[in-house]
């Protein structure tokens, strides 16, 4: 009897019930580990916010923010949007909503500044109307940020600080548009820089947590300590 005949006999002797039992007791394949996308989203948000905020603060006499368009599209926009999409499979609804929302914010803001969009050109000769429209745009995002602030009250101190400063940033920038106040816009720029550094801090903390042997750790001030 050949080896092929023996193998055939074994297969024929295996009943459907035995085959099902064998399949159910087979060792499951380990699921691939998904990397934490939070640092990508936080660093992308922080970097774009940092650059624009310096412009809003009139750093080195800069009064035109158009150089930030590229970062707003690809760094603050696309990279942060992707981070939000990658947060969904992890089950982190807060991170997914925040990163996706602010990714959309940066893309929409960049679109306003792109001359080819015709958005700013539509207000030619009526700068006060443009300022009012931008003010409403910023107030909308102040409200969204305030909603994230409410949810962050149950997370950690770093998030509370981040969304608090970001809410104030949007409020000052909106006030600058409504009132034509350069001082209010500059205050929004300074608050935005502080916001950016808080986001950098949280992002670095998240990145260090993923390392097997981090050189140090950065506390976030969790209000509800994680269960061991």
């Amino acid at each position: 009897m050949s080896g092929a005949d023996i193998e055939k006999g074994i297969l024929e002797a295996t009943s459907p019930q035995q085959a099902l039992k064998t399949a159910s007791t087979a060792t499951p394949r380990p699921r691939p580990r998904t990397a934490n996308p939070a640092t990508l989203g936080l660093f992308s948000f922080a970097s774009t916010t940092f650059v624009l905020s310096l412009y809003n603060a009139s750093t080195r006499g800069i009064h035109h923010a158009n150089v930030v368009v590229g970062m707003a599209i690809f760094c603050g926009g696309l990279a942060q949007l992707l981070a939000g999409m990658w947060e969904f499979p992890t089950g982190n609804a807060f991170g997914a909503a925040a990163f996706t929302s602010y990714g959309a914010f940066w893309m929409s803001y960049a679109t306003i500044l792109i001359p080819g969009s015709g958005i700013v050109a539509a207000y030619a000769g009526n700068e006060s109307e443009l300022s009012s429209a931008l003010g409403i745009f910023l107030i909308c995002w102040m409200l969204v940020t305030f909603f994230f602030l409410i949810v962050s009250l149950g997370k950690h101190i770093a998030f509370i600080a981040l969304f608090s400063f970001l809410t104030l940033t949007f409020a000052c920038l909106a006030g600058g548009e409504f009132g034509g106040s350069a001082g209010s816009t500059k205050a929004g720029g300074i608050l935005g820089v502080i916001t950016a550094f808080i986001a950098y801090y949280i992002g670095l903390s998240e990145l260090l947590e993923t390392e097997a042997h981090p050189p140090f750790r950065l506390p976030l001030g969790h209000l509800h300590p994680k269960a061991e």
Side-chain angles (χ1 to χ4, degrees):
M1 183 179 288
S2 67
D5 291 332
I6 294 172
E7 183 179 358
K8 182 178 178 183
I10 293 172
L11 290 172
E12 287 175 348
T14 302
S15 66
Q17 291 78 11
Q18 289 173 319
L20 267 174
K21 184 178 179 181
T22 303
S24 63
T25 57
T27 304
R29 293 182 180 180
R31 294 182 62 185
R33 183 181 176 187
T34 303
N36 183 1
T39 296
L40 171 63
L42 286 160
F43 279 3
S44 299
F45 169 81
S47 298
T48 314
T49 301
F50 179 72
V51 173
L52 180 60
S53 295
L54 287 177
Y55 295 167
N56 286 332
S58 301
T59 304
R60 297 187 65 84
I62 298 173
H63 299 287
H64 297 86
N66 297 65
V67 171
V68 83
V69 169
M71 285 193 71
I73 294 173
F74 296 104
C75 186
L78 180 60
Q80 201 173 177
L81 185 70
L82 289 173
M85 293 299 101
W86 292 328
E87 283 282 17
F88 279 108
T90 69
N92 183 3
F94 182 82
F99 289 140
T100 305
S101 296
Y102 290 111
F105 161 77
W106 282 116
M107 286 182 168
S108 61
Y109 183 75
T111 304
I112 294 172
L113 295 180
I114 295 173
S117 70
I119 295 174
V120 175
Y123 295 90
N126 198 345
E127 284 71 21
S128 62
E129 185 181 0
L130 174 61
S131 294
S132 295
L134 289 173
I136 292 173
F137 174 81
L138 293 167
I139 285 292
C140 171
W141 284 101
M142 183 196 75
L143 290 173
V144 171
T145 304
F146 181 70
F147 298 149
F148 282 122
L149 171 60
I150 293 173
V151 180
S152 72
L153 295 176
K155 295 187 174 296
H156 51 67
I157 295 172
F159 263 157
I160 295 173
L162 175 66
F163 289 105
S164 295
F165 275 98
L166 187 55
T167 300
L168 292 174
T169 298
F170 278 124
C172 287
L173 294 176
E177 293 293 343
F178 285 134
S181 170
S184 182
T185 300
K186 189 168 185 176
I190 294 170
L191 289 168
V193 170
I194 297 172
T195 301
F197 277 112
I198 296 173
Y200 277 134
Y201 179 91
I202 301 173
L204 180 57
S205 175
E206 293 279 357
L207 186 59
L208 289 168
E209 284 293 325
T210 64
E211 295 297 309
H213 305 288
F216 57 87
R217 296 184 188 277
L218 295 175
L220 296 176
H222 286 279
L223 300 176
H224 304 285
K226 297 178 182 178
E228 296 297 332

